[in-house]
Structures are given as structure tokens and as C-alpha cells.
């Protein structure tokens, strides 16, 4: 809760602890006073699971997150001087080309200092895992960056990878380190072809 975060920040300042830090936050539970307290206590970056720019896809995720909340958090953090990292996850079962364009537009609006995008990887045990159709996946070659299997109702696996590449290219000035590594590997693979 914002109250607990603010209490933590006040205690950190009261003790004179100068160590800078960053935090993963859920935009639904964030307030501007909370971010102000975090900045005053040495927080240098927030990491926000934005996931999608499509409200219908956010609803499918059952995360309880609204686009307006994401936009508010990124505006507030910019105002108080905290860097902002945005995590996006593509490939929800009902995700379409239109949803992908909405995600791209949201990234453009919030302008995060650090941007990352992954593809859903339904590991055994998660809600999207299907033991009948996925039991033969080679999990040693599958992760949320290079998933060769996953597709949506409207997008093939190749199209998801094209969108991942499109987004990492478009926002290459602010890529998270793992997306930079992936982009470099793709570039090297293209040069070898």
C-alpha cells in the first residue's frame, strides 16, 4: 500500500540511509505522494509491468490495471525525477494486430527511460500452459525472449517475433539490457544469412 511504502521511506530517511534503490511497482497501487516519498528516500528508478496498451488485453490478464493508471504513474514519476522502466508482454491468446498498435502507441505516450518487451512463455504450472499440447516443447530453448512456439488467435509465432523486433527497433534508444542482447543476436544472425 502507498501508506506502507511512505512509512518505509520515512524510516529510511530517519535512519540516514543513503543507499540508492529501485522498485518494482504495480501501477494500480501507486500515488504521486508515494513516488515523492520514494524519491526523497533515494529511489532512482521504478519498474512497472505495463504489459499492454490495450485495455481489453489488460482485462484478459486480470491484473486489475487501467491504462489511465499507467499513464499517471509515468507522468508522476517524471515530475518527481524518478527514472521509469516499462515492461511489456505480448502474446495474450486474444491479442491482435490492433492491440499491438495500441501497445506501441502507449509506449510512445509514456516515453519510458528503459523499455522491455517479452513474448508470453506458458511454463508448466501457469494458467496458459496446456499439458496436452505443450508437453513436448523443448524448454531448454524456450523463454520469454525467444519463444519459438507461442501464438495467439490472430498472430503467428513469426508475427509475434516481428512485433517484438519492431518495438525493440522503434524504442532502441531505451532498451532494457536483455532486449539489447536479443537485438544484437538478431542483427548478427541477419548478417550471417
Amino acid at each position: 500500500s502507498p501508506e506502507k511504502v511512505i512509512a518505509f521511506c520515512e524510516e529510511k530517511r530517519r535512519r540516514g540511509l543513503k543507499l540508492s534503490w529501485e522498485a518494482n511497482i504495480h501501477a494500480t497501487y501507486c500515488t504521486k505522494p508515494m513516488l515523492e516519498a520514494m524519491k526523497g528516500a533515494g529511489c532512482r528508478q521504478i519498474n512497472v509491468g505495463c504489459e499492454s496498451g490495450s485495455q481489453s488485453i489488460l482485462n484478459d490478464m486480470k491484473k486489475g490495471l487501467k491504462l489511465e493508471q499507467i499513464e499517471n504513474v509515468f507522468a508522476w514519476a517524471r515530475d518527481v525525477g524518478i527514472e521509469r522502466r516499462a515492461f511489456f508482454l505480448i502474446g495474450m491468446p486474444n491479442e491482435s494486430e490492433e492491440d499491438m498498435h495500441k501497445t506501441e502507441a502507449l509506449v510512445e505516450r509514456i516515453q519510458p527511460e528503459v523499455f522491455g518487451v517479452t513474448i508470453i512463455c506458458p511454463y508448466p504450472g501457469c494458467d496458459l500452459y496446456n499439458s496436452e499440447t505443450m508437453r513436448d516443447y523443448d524448454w531448454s530453448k524456450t523463454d520469454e525472449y525467444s519463444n519459438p512456439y507461442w501464438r495467439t488467435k490472430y498472430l503467428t509465432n513469426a508475427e509475434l517475433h516481428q512485433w517484438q523486433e519492431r518495438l525493440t527497433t522503434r524504442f532502441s534508444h531505451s532498451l532494457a539490457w536483455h532486449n539489447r542482447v536479443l537485438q544484437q543476436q538478431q542483427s548478427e544472425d541477419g548478417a550471417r544469412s
Side-chain angles (χ1 to χ4, degrees), residues 140-151:
S140 68
K141 297 180 181 173
T142 303
D143 64 25
E144 61 273 19
Y145 292 91
S146 57
N147 179 334
Y149 305 111
W150 191 249
R151 55 173 294 127

Side-chain angles (χ1 to χ4, degrees), residues 16-187:
L17 303 172
K18 304 288 185 197
L19 183 66
S20 65
W21 52 289
E22 65 182 70
N24 292 337
I25 67 165
H26 194 302
T28 299
Y29 306 107
C30 186
T31 64
K32 189 170 185 182
M34 181 179 107
L35 291 171
E36 291 167 341
M38 290 169 68
K39 176 67 176 179
C43 181
R44 61 178 179 75
Q45 179 176 296
I46 57 168
N47 308 308
V48 184
C50 302
E51 316 308 1
S52 178
S54 166
Q55 188 61 58
S56 66
I57 295 300
L58 290 175
N59 294 345
D60 286 351
M61 290 180 177
K62 299 178 181 145
K63 194 170 173 176
L65 185 57
K66 303 284 184 213
L67 291 170
E68 180 183 9
Q69 294 165 320
I70 295 169
E71 293 183 67
N72 286 342
V73 167
F74 276 77
W76 297 334
R78 183 182 51 244
D79 290 348
V80 301
I82 296 177
E83 285 191 6
R84 300 135 334 125
R85 179 176 181 164
F87 296 108
F88 285 86
L89 180 65
I90 61 175
M92 281 297 286
N94 292 320
E95 198 157 20
S96 67
E97 192 88 12
E98 180 184 347
D99 296 312
M100 297 303 302
H101 284 288
K102 289 177 181 179
T103 292
E104 186 173 31
L106 177 63
V107 179
E108 187 63 43
R109 288 194 308 275
I110 63 175
Q111 290 292 304
E113 282 79 21
V114 184
F115 166 78
V117 59
T118 58
I119 296 172
I120 286 178
C121 188
Y123 293 111
C126 76
D127 288 347
L128 295 175
Y129 178 75
N130 181 320
S131 60
E132 294 299 315
T133 61
M134 299 176 183
R135 70 174 167 263
D136 295 329
Y137 283 11
D138 182 353
W139 292 101
S140 68
K141 297 180 181 173
T142 303
D143 64 25
E144 61 273 19
Y145 292 91
S146 57
N147 179 334
Y149 305 111
W150 191 249
R151 55 173 294 127
T152 76
K153 186 175 176 181
Y154 305 103
L155 299 168
T156 66
N157 183 264
E159 289 169 326
L160 287 172
H161 283 279
Q162 288 166 359
W163 268 102
Q164 185 183 40
E165 185 174 353
R166 173 181 170 148
L167 293 169
T168 56
T169 299
R170 171 116 188 252
F171 302 106
S172 62
H173 61 281
S174 61
L175 284 183
W177 73 270
H178 202 139
N179 280 117
R180 285 194 309 268
V181 169
L182 180 63
Q183 189 178 50
Q184 182 177 348
Q185 287 172 344
Q186 290 169 341
S187 177

